[in-house]
Amino acid sequence: MKDRAHSSPTGIRRSSNGSVHGKYSFLGVVETRNISMIVLTLLVWTLGFGSNNAVSEVMNIKIPQELKEIPNEYFRPSSQPGTLVELYYDTYESFSYSERSKTLKKRAIVYLPYGYDKNRKYDVFYLMHGGWGDETTMLGTPDRPSPLKNVIDNAIAAGEIKPLIIVCPTYNNTNENGLDSASFSLAMQLTRNYHNELVNDLIPAVEGTYSTYAASTSREDLTASRDHRGFGGFSMGAVATWRTFQYALDYFRYFLPMSCGTTLDDEGIFAAARGHDLNDYFVFIITGTNDFAYSYDKARVELMKRSPYFINIDERHDGNFAFRVKEGYSHDTRATMEYIYNGLKTFWGVQNNINLSGAKTNLQKSQSQKDFTVNTR
């Protein structure tokens, strides 16, 4: 596959108004005052690997009332840097996927935390780009990492985020060299279809190569390890996030749709949760007041408040979704940086987990109701 690496700088600078400048136009932060936290105690059930017994775990997820500003020093290279690797894997053309008649070789950029140890299990976050982007948009390439990688490196080194694996794929699919995301209508179709590639090809490629909580790449083991997996994206990547909720909820617990600036068949997407307990998933929606996506996200959140599948964390301590809006932020990569940082802190912040045995959850409420290679250059 042709290398489409970003021509990104390694340095940035902050102006007097707080913006951070460089070729990555999204790098900017604003002052956040008086952060207050809502602590959500989720009783989640995870599989006890190495034994036949299930182990329940109390996990404290901290939802900030206001998003935290990225510390300025986080934009500088860390003394404990993670590693970016290129993972190549085989998949199929999107619109004829079920026929498996046209094979494509695709690339994902994989972030491995500093000190990655194949004998240790890691959570995995799949992070999707927006329109006019590709798999290099978020973290860059091994040769030219983006400033977002520095932020993640420093946040992990500072103990704010647990060491985890981050996978940056692309829904671009119809040919190996094109940029399908430049077409809105095509991108909408590709994000709807993306779950096929995601669950059948990408996740097995990633989690068959690196050490995660999946005991194997069988469907049974991948779904059994869903508590340790999340999916998020900005703009069109948020559309992909909602489609992942719709079609691959069995594989993921955490969802981070950021600035989803379009209408979707929301009721149909929400209905994917039918048959799941309300504590089986958590959705963290983030946008900005000056973002054209704000009105779309706000309307979607109002539907979620009326949906039997969602509980607002601001209204009940046992909620399964949160909505945060950043004052003055627009639809740009400045916002993307801060939203990702806060999302990772929310889902995988360094917290004390308490293992219990024989406990029963007070949150369960039934609704029912192939070949791939790694390039580390």
Side-chain angles (χ1 to χ4, degrees):
M1 180 181 294
K2 181 180 178 181
D3 188 0
R4 292 169 288 177
H6 276 289
S7 57
S8 63
T10 58
I12 57 174
R13 61 184 177 85
R14 181 185 288 277
S15 67
S16 59
N17 67 0
S19 297
V20 178
H21 297 276
K23 288 186 180 179
Y24 282 85
S25 60
F26 64 102
L27 293 180
V29 293
V30 297
E31 183 179 1
T32 303
R33 298 182 298 274
N34 300 325
I35 297 291
S36 58
M37 309 299 289
I38 296 175
V39 178
L40 166 64
T41 300
L42 291 179
L43 187 59
V44 297
W45 297 90
T46 58
L47 188 65
F49 292 100
S51 94
N52 294 323
N53 298 322
V55 177
S56 59
E57 184 179 82
V58 171
M59 181 177 295
N60 293 319
I61 295 184
K62 296 181 179 180
I63 306 295
Q65 287 288 9
E66 296 181 24
L67 301 182
K68 181 182 177 181
E69 176 183 350
I70 300 173
N72 191 40
E73 60 271 19
Y74 280 15
F75 294 108
R76 295 191 287 268
S78 171
S79 60
Q80 298 181 9
T83 302
L84 294 182
V85 300
E86 295 176 310
L87 178 72
Y88 289 91
Y89 62 99
D90 287 338
T91 185
Y92 301 94
E93 192 277 327
S94 175
F95 296 100
S96 59
Y97 189 96
S98 61
E99 302 169 11
R100 289 172 166 74
S101 57
K102 183 178 179 181
T103 301
L104 297 177
K105 184 170 290 291
K106 291 184 62 175
R107 174 181 65 169
I109 301 298
V110 179
Y111 172 88
L112 301 177
Y114 177 80
Y116 170 80
D117 181 354
K118 65 181 182 181
N119 296 313
R120 175 181 177 182
K121 294 181 173 67
Y122 294 88
D123 298 302
V124 190
F125 182 56
Y126 292 79
L127 177 60
M128 184 64 77
H129 62 83
W132 293 274
D134 64 16
E135 68 273 17
T136 70
T137 299
M138 292 295 191
L139 293 177
T141 67
D143 293 334
R144 303 185 71 88
S146 77
L148 176 57
K149 177 185 178 292
N150 290 343
V151 171
I152 295 169
D153 284 341
N154 282 297
I156 291 175
E160 287 195 289
I161 298 171
K162 295 178 181 178
L164 80 165
I165 295 170
I166 301 175
V167 181
C168 295
T170 180
Y171 53 80
N172 295 331
N173 177 278
T174 58
N175 64 76
E176 293 191 5
N177 300 311
L179 196 62
D180 302 324
S181 60
S183 167
F184 178 83
S185 60
L186 177 57
M188 288 290 284
Q189 297 175 73
L190 291 174
T191 53
R192 180 184 285 273
N193 295 344
Y194 184 69
H195 65 280
N196 293 313
E197 175 184 330
L198 175 66
V199 302
N200 294 322
D201 307 318
L202 178 62
I203 295 178
V206 171
E207 304 195 29
T209 302
Y210 303 108
S211 182
T212 72
Y213 283 84
S216 77
T217 58
S218 70
R219 185 185 190 282
E220 292 75 18
D221 284 335
L222 290 175
T223 56
S225 58
R226 65 184 290 275
D227 289 350
H228 299 278
R229 195 176 297 116
F231 194 104
F234 184 86
S235 193
M236 189 60 71
V239 176
T241 303
W242 279 116
R243 292 305 182 194
T244 301
F245 183 94
Q246 181 176 14
Y247 296 115
L249 182 57
D250 287 347
Y251 291 82
F252 295 87
R253 174 178 286 274
Y254 304 110
F255 298 87
L256 183 67
M258 301 168 283
S259 294
C260 186
T262 187
T263 56
L264 298 171
D265 51 322
D266 294 315
E267 298 290 356
I269 292 173
F270 300 167
R274 184 180 295 116
H276 283 264
D277 292 327
L278 291 177
N279 68 315
D280 270 355
Y281 47 90
F282 196 96
V283 181
F284 191 9
I285 303 164
I286 312 178
T287 191
T289 56
N290 293 348
D291 193 323
F292 73 85
Y294 171 69
S295 60
Y296 293 98
D297 278 332
K298 187 174 185 296
R300 188 169 293 112
V301 165
E302 291 304 314
L303 287 176
M304 293 174 74
K305 289 179 180 179
R306 299 192 295 270
S307 170
Y309 305 112
F310 291 100
I311 300 172
N312 186 355
I313 186 62
D314 291 330
E315 297 177 0
R316 279 176 47 179
H317 74 280
D318 58 347
N320 60 6
F321 88 92
F323 180 43
R324 293 293 180 263
V325 180
K326 187 74 175 190
E327 183 67 32
Y329 272 36
S330 302
H331 197 86
D332 53 27
T333 45
R334 170 198 186 192
T336 310
M337 280 281 272
E338 196 157 299
Y339 300 167
I340 293 170
Y341 168 67
N342 279 271
L344 292 177
K345 280 171 53 65
T346 295
F347 294 146
W348 291 290
V350 177
Q351 299 139 16
N352 293 323
N353 294 333
I354 306 171
N355 288 329
L356 304 176
S357 61
K360 293 184 178 180
T361 176
N362 61 356
L363 299 179
Q364 289 180 326
K365 300 171 185 176
S366 176
Q367 274 301 110
S368 211
Q369 351 193 307
K370 286 155 199 175
D371 293 324
F372 46 87
T373 59
V374 180
N375 183 352
T376 58
R377 73 171 184 271

